[in-house]
Amino acid sequence: MKRILFILTMCLMATIANAQKNMEIAPLFEGEERAKYAFSAVIIEGKSLKKYDLTLFKSVTTTKSKWFSEIENLVENDSKEAIDKECGYINGKLYYGFYQFKPRDGKYRYIFYRNSSLREDEPCEITVVYMEGYPTLAELKKMFQR
């Protein structure tokens, strides 16, 4: 029984590690790289996401402005593959972006990005969120607007 639990745990870990595989933002969610960017991170999966019809939620935030440009570039490189997107810019810099990617294993993949440092009335930070699940981008926006 312990062996089966171990194997299942390892499979789950491999799935989580490869969630954003082949995406430019992948290093933002990996151990050593995440430490380099001085991120605070949140990873949620399982039952707590069921009401949103999501299977994975990863979020990273940093206040280290020396990484802001590099992170924006990673997100914009991934955005080229998006099948649906909504973006906002301030003075030519990406302020926010919502990106939906082709489904993989029957699940949509999303990147949400926000650079709060571009507004004087907000904290100086960047947040990148990666999600996987079944709702469309429009459905997700509607859920999170409540």
Side-chain angles (χ1 to χ4, degrees):
M1 183 64 170
K2 287 182 181 179
R3 176 182 261 184
I4 292 172
L5 287 175
F6 176 75
I7 291 170
L8 289 173
T9 302
M10 295 308 288
C11 289
L12 179 62
M13 298 281 281
T15 300
I16 292 170
N18 290 321
Q20 63 283 337
K21 185 179 178 182
N22 300 324
M23 297 186 88
E24 296 286 326
I25 62 162
L28 304 179
F29 299 97
E30 295 170 1
E32 288 180 26
E33 290 296 311
R34 189 173 68 216
K36 167 186 144 181
Y37 293 109
F39 279 128
S40 59
V42 174
I43 298 173
I44 304 171
E45 58 185 319
K47 291 181 183 180
S48 59
L49 294 174
K50 190 171 178 84
K51 66 181 173 182
Y52 302 107
D53 211 13
L54 294 171
T55 56
L56 180 63
F57 176 97
K58 291 183 172 188
S59 173
V60 290
T61 301
T62 188
T63 58
K64 302 292 182 188
S65 60
K66 70 180 184 176
W67 300 116
F68 287 7
S69 182
E70 181 178 336
I71 294 166
E72 180 180 340
N73 288 337
L74 294 175
V75 170
E76 287 198 325
N77 286 341
D78 279 335
S79 75
K80 295 172 187 170
E81 300 296 320
I83 61 171
D84 194 3
K85 59 180 132 184
E86 179 182 320
C87 306
Y89 292 84
I90 295 177
N91 296 325
K93 293 283 200 178
L94 183 61
Y95 172 54
Y96 73 89
F98 302 120
Y99 308 99
Q100 179 180 358
F101 298 87
K102 288 182 183 176
R104 186 176 69 205
D105 300 328
K107 300 175 205 166
Y108 287 107
R109 299 171 296 143
Y110 301 95
I111 295 174
F112 290 179
Y113 168 91
R114 182 170 172 154
N115 182 349
S116 298
S117 72
L118 298 176
R119 295 186 52 139
E120 292 180 18
D121 60 336
E122 295 183 12
C124 184
E125 65 185 22
I126 280 186
T127 301
V128 180
V129 176
Y130 176 83
M131 293 187 286
E132 286 184 357
Y134 302 101
T136 65
L137 185 58
E139 292 168 336
L140 270 182
K141 283 187 205 177
K142 190 174 182 178
M143 278 189 274
F144 290 117
Q145 286 177 348
R146 295 180 192 161

